[in-house]
C-alpha cells in the first residue's frame, strides 16, 4: 500500500514486551509508510515510561496515555481517533501477534477495493488447552447470538479501512465484535490465517471469570443492533421527464 498505515496498539502492563515488539514492527514494515500509536491503558508497571524511552529511538512511534484504566475498547477508539492513516491495523502489545503477518493483511486489502477489512484468525494457537477451549466456546456463542460467522473473534490482528471503521457503534467491549460491526454497517470482511506465539513476559488480562458475562451481554447487544439495522435502497431522481 502507498498510503500511510496506522498501527493502533493498546497496552496494559506490557513494559517488557514493547521493545521487542517495536523492533519487529520496524523490520516487518521497512518498505511501508507507517506510524504506530501505542495507547497506554493506565498501566502500573512502568509501561508509559518505557514508551517515552522508546519514542526517542523510533521516530514513527506515537504515545497516547489514557488518564485512567478504561479497557481495551477505549484504548482502541482513542487510537482510531488520533490516527492519521487511511488504513488502521490493530494488534496486541504482548508479542503473541507476529508483525510479519501485517503485510499479508495489507496485501489482501489492497488487492480488493470492495473489502472494508481483512481480519486474522489464529490457525494454530500457542495457548493452554483450557484457554483454547474457552475461546472455542466464546466464538460459538458469539456467532450464534450475532448471526455472524467469524472464525476467531478474539484475534486482535486486523487491517481496516478508516472510513468504514469510524462508522461502527462504539461501546465497552466493541473490540470483540469489530468484523460483525463492520458487516452490519455495510462493509465486507475477509479472513486470513495468521500465526500466534507464546507470551514471553507478563500475564494475560482476560479469563473466563472476568469475561464471560460481559461478553454474553455485549453479544446480546450486537444481536439487537443486527435485528434493528437499517436496510434500504435509495436513488436520486434526475428531474428529466
Amino acid at each position: 500500500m502507498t498510503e500511510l498505515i496506522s498501527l493502533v496498539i493498546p497496552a496494559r502492563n506490557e513494559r517488557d514486551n514493547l521493545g521487542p515488539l517495536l523492533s519487529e514492527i520496524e523490520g516487518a514494515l521497512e518498505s511501508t509508510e507507517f506510524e504506530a500509536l501505542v495507547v497506554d491503558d493506565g498501566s502500573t508497571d512502568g509501561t508509559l515510561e518505557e514508551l517515552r524511552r522508546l519514542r526517542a529511538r523510533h521516530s514513527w512511534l506515537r504515545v497516547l496515555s489514557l488518564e485512567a484504566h478504561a479497557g481495551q475498547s477505549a484504548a482502541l477508539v482513542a487510537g482510531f481517533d488520533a490516527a492519521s492513516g487511511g488504513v488502521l491495523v490493530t494488534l496486541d502489545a504482548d508479542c503473541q501477534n507476529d508483525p510479519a503477518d501485517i503485510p499479508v493483511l495489507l496485501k489482501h486489502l489492497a488487492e480488493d477495493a470492495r473489502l472494508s477489512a481483512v481480519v486474522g484468525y489464529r490457525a494454530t494457537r500457542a495457548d493452554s488447552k483450557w484457554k483454547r477451549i474457552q475461546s472455542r466456546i466464546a466464538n460459538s456463542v458469539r456467532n450464534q447470538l450475532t448471526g455472524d460467522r467469524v472464525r476467531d473473534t478474539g484475534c486482535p490482528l486486523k487491517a481496516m479501512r478508516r472510513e468504514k471503521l469510524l462508522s461502527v457503534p462504539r461501546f465497552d467491549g466493541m473490540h470483540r465484535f469489530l468484523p460483525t460491526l463492520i458487516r452490519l454497517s455495510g462493509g465486507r470482511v475477509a479472513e486470513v490465517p495468521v500465526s500466534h506465539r507464546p507470551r514471553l513476559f507478563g500475564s494475560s488480562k482476560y479469563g473466563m471469570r472476568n469475561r464471560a458475562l460481559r461478553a454474553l451481554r455485549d453479544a446480546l447487544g450486537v444481536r439487537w443492533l443486527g435485528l434493528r439495522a437499517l436496510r434500504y435502497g435509495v436513488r436520486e431522481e434526475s428531474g428529466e421527464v
Side-chain angles (χ1 to χ4, degrees), residues 108-153:
H108 279 80
L109 194 62
E111 288 177 344
D112 191 343
R114 300 170 300 172
L115 289 176
S116 301
V118 178
V119 303
Y121 65 89
R122 293 164 289 189
T124 303
R125 293 285 297 271
D127 287 322
S128 67
K129 183 177 180 180
W130 172 232
K131 195 165 185 179
R132 294 196 302 270
I133 291 172
Q134 292 180 60
S135 182
R136 283 198 296 270
I137 294 172
N139 276 327
S140 177
V141 171
R142 288 174 196 160
N143 283 334
Q144 287 182 37
L145 288 176
T146 63
D148 201 1
R149 288 292 176 268
V150 182
R151 297 190 193 190
D152 188 359
T153 60

Side-chain angles (χ1 to χ4, degrees), residues 169-236:
R170 297 178 170 192
F171 56 89
D172 188 15
M174 64 174 283
H175 65 276
R176 303 184 186 97
F177 302 95
L178 283 173
T180 299
L181 294 172
I182 289 171
R183 283 173 173 145
L184 286 176
S185 66
R188 293 191 180 190
V189 179
E191 298 176 86
V192 299
V194 296
S195 56
H196 189 241
R197 307 183 296 190
R199 173 186 274 275
L200 297 179
F201 303 104
S203 57
S204 174
K205 313 304 183 297
Y206 295 108
M208 183 67 79
R209 297 176 68 181
N210 72 347
R211 183 173 59 174
L213 289 178
R214 282 185 294 175
L216 177 61
R217 176 198 61 195
D218 294 341
L220 289 170
V222 173
R223 176 182 176 84
W224 181 88
L225 285 172
L227 293 173
R228 300 293 292 171
L230 295 173
R231 296 177 177 86
Y232 61 90
V234 63
R235 68 180 182 184
E236 181 177 357

Side-chain angles (χ1 to χ4, degrees), residues 13-181:
N13 293 337
E14 297 288 0
R15 180 193 61 200
D16 295 332
N17 288 310
L18 293 168
L21 175 64
L22 296 182
S23 294
E24 285 191 289
I25 287 172
E26 191 166 52
L29 299 179
E30 60 182 354
S31 60
T32 303
E33 184 181 2
F34 75 98
E35 62 176 3
L37 295 87
V38 182
V39 186
D40 176 52
D41 182 21
S43 296
T44 58
D45 70 339
T47 287
L48 183 56
E49 290 74 15
E50 177 69 1
L51 285 170
R52 289 168 177 158
R53 187 184 70 82
L54 290 167
R55 187 173 52 190
R57 184 188 308 171
H58 303 292
S59 61
W60 41 263
L61 174 61
R62 297 172 58 190
V63 178
L64 303 181
S65 176
L66 301 186
E67 293 179 351
H69 174 48
Q72 188 169 349
S73 291
L76 284 172
V77 168
F80 295 163
D81 287 343
S84 303
V87 171
L88 307 185
V89 175
T90 61
L91 68 158
D92 278 353
D94 57 12
C95 284
Q96 290 195 263
N97 300 132
D98 188 347
D101 286 321
I102 297 174
V104 178
L105 270 63
L106 295 176
K107 182 175 183 292
H108 279 80
L109 194 62
E111 288 177 344
D112 191 343
R114 300 170 300 172
L115 289 176
S116 301
V118 178
V119 303
Y121 65 89
R122 293 164 289 189
T124 303
R125 293 285 297 271
D127 287 322
S128 67
K129 183 177 180 180
W130 172 232
K131 195 165 185 179
R132 294 196 302 270
I133 291 172
Q134 292 180 60
S135 182
R136 283 198 296 270
I137 294 172
N139 276 327
S140 177
V141 171
R142 288 174 196 160
N143 283 334
Q144 287 182 37
L145 288 176
T146 63
D148 201 1
R149 288 292 176 268
V150 182
R151 297 190 193 190
D152 188 359
T153 60
C155 182
L157 193 54
K158 302 175 177 72
M160 300 163 283
R161 299 193 193 277
R162 179 187 180 89
E163 70 274 9
K164 181 56 67 175
L165 181 60
L166 296 184
S167 69
V168 305
R170 297 178 170 192
F171 56 89
D172 188 15
M174 64 174 283
H175 65 276
R176 303 184 186 97
F177 302 95
L178 283 173
T180 299
L181 294 172

